[in-house]
Amino acid sequence: MMLIQRVLTYPNIGIPGRKCGTIILTAEELNCCRDAVLMQFCANKLDKKDFFGKSDPFLVFYRSNEDGSFTICHKTEVVKNTLNPVWQAFKISVRALCNGDYDRTIKVEVYDWDRDGSHDFIGEFTTSYRELSRGQSQFNVYEVVNPKKKGKKKKYTNSGTVTLLSFLVETEVSFLDYIKGGTQINFTVAIDFTASNGNPAQPTSLHYMNPYQLNAYGMALKAVGEIVQDYDSDKMFPALGFGAKLPPDGRISHEFALNGNPQNPYCDGIEGVMEAYYRSLKSVQLYGPTNFAPVINHVARYASSVKDGSQYFVLLIVTDGVISDMAQTKESIVNASKLPMSIIIVGVGPAEFDAMVELDGDDVRVSSRGKYAERDIVQFVPFRDYMDRSGNHILSMARLAKDVLAEIPEQFLSYMRARGIKPSPAPPPYTPPTHVLQTQI
């Protein structure tokens, strides 16, 4: 299998009159192989390298390149103080291991770990994906050879052996495989109607009803909504509001239908959501507090009833970021992390969004009462990062789209993998019936 490789060399320009080296970029065309392999290795009678102990061995795997060079593609963990280590099983894509070329050389080096980073070389061996695919057998017991020792000692045989214990191939499925197989994505929109957004009659308000242009919420809704609606098959969105006093009695609600119909809160496309939003602005009173938990629990109730992979739910919350029920929201997120759902939070306005970043859980997984979220299900996007200085124009819809949807596919896949749900086969493409013209003789 011949794959195209490109090498670019650039001089490193630094101090005038001095050579500062070169930067070499090597790129290889990726094979379309989507398999991954789960492997486990052990070793026997490795060389003793530590003066006061045995050895602390680990393996380093290298993929060979078209030009004969090698690139590290995996390192195992270190197993301390043993000459007969058993390493944990690890998963690696076949593209990373050999770029889908089953006969390409894979080099494995064995080292003894040292605290100062000067790890001692024990030996090496080579194999290929085709050889490894035979699984546990006499063919996959490899002699670990140290070339220097072999050249110096006539009676040298090896520095131990490494044995393949298991080899399991899995086909990596993508987000689109599930969509093609019929999984429905259901989007729900929730809008912050709290008083911290400012009086909608005032130009300084994030909800300002300007007859000539969209306000901050309108811009965020339209921009983000047009991105997410392409993944929703029926384009009918439940649209909710929270933090307002509702007519006629002034009841405070944290989960009301923007179209005024709690039995059927669906709006037709993003345009329908926008219309319901502006209608609500004229009829409700902005109030508070800012509680996220009720709308999260609203979507969670639906998600909890469909856990077979046929549907996945995404809640889009548009807010100014001033949250009042942090503890309850964290608890709702922890509970929702077990369900087929994700949450996108779009922050509008100039406020500090520290609480939203905390809910995002990229650095520290969200927890509640000592219980951590099963998976990260929240993506936070500060809308102002995508606006020009005037605040009236989006600089890059493509960048906004990328960041809004950045984590959804992996969050979706993490749920499906954890539940062992495979995508259904895609239906065959539609072929229109052919009409045969018959002629009479």
Side-chain angles (χ1 to χ4, degrees), residues 44-190:
N44 191 39
K45 296 181 181 177
L46 294 176
D47 284 355
K48 178 179 178 295
K49 289 289 184 178
D50 293 342
F51 188 75
F52 292 110
K54 295 180 180 178
S55 284
D56 305 319
F58 66 97
L59 303 176
V60 183
F61 289 75
Y62 295 84
R63 178 186 69 243
S64 62
N65 302 313
E66 291 287 343
D67 62 359
S69 63
F70 286 90
T71 303
I72 292 177
C73 58
H74 182 76
K75 284 183 184 178
T76 68
E77 78 284 5
V78 176
V79 182
K80 291 291 190 73
N81 198 29
T82 179
L83 303 181
N84 304 298
V86 178
W87 289 281
Q88 293 175 14
F90 65 91
K91 190 174 183 180
I92 185 170
S93 73
V94 175
R95 286 204 306 193
L97 189 63
C98 62
N99 203 7
D101 182 350
Y102 291 0
D103 297 307
R104 185 181 291 207
T105 300
I106 298 166
K107 183 170 74 170
V108 184
E109 293 180 342
V110 187
Y111 286 91
D112 166 48
W113 178 84
D114 284 332
R115 189 183 299 277
D116 63 3
S118 60
H119 310 309
D120 299 318
F121 178 68
I122 294 175
E124 65 186 15
F125 64 91
T126 60
T127 182
S128 68
Y129 180 89
R130 196 176 298 281
E131 286 179 26
L132 292 169
S133 65
R134 294 175 176 181
Q136 188 179 19
S137 67
Q138 73 270 27
F139 300 109
N140 279 316
V141 179
Y142 298 95
E143 288 193 348
V144 176
V145 176
N146 186 323
K148 283 186 179 177
K149 276 191 175 183
K150 191 175 181 180
K152 288 179 182 177
K153 298 179 181 179
K154 287 184 179 179
K155 292 184 179 179
Y156 175 81
T157 53
N158 60 54
S159 295
T161 59
V162 169
T163 301
L164 175 68
L165 292 177
S166 62
F167 184 93
L168 180 66
V169 180
E170 300 175 1
T171 299
E172 294 279 277
V173 292
S174 71
F175 174 65
L176 287 177
D177 289 327
Y178 288 90
I179 302 302
K180 288 175 186 173
T183 297
Q184 301 290 309
I185 305 294
N186 302 301
F187 276 95
T188 299
V189 178

Side-chain angles (χ1 to χ4, degrees), residues 12 16 40 83 127 130 150 267-268 301 304 312 314 335-336 347 364:
N12 195 10
Q40 186 176 22
L83 303 181
T127 182
R130 196 176 298 281
K150 191 175 181 180
C267 298
D268 188 0
R301 283 194 295 275
S304 64
Y312 193 85
V314 179
N335 293 333
V364 180

Side-chain angles (χ1 to χ4, degrees), residues 421-437:
I421 299 169
K422 304 289 186 189
S424 300
Y430 172 74
T431 51
T434 54
H435 297 285
V436 179
L437 294 175

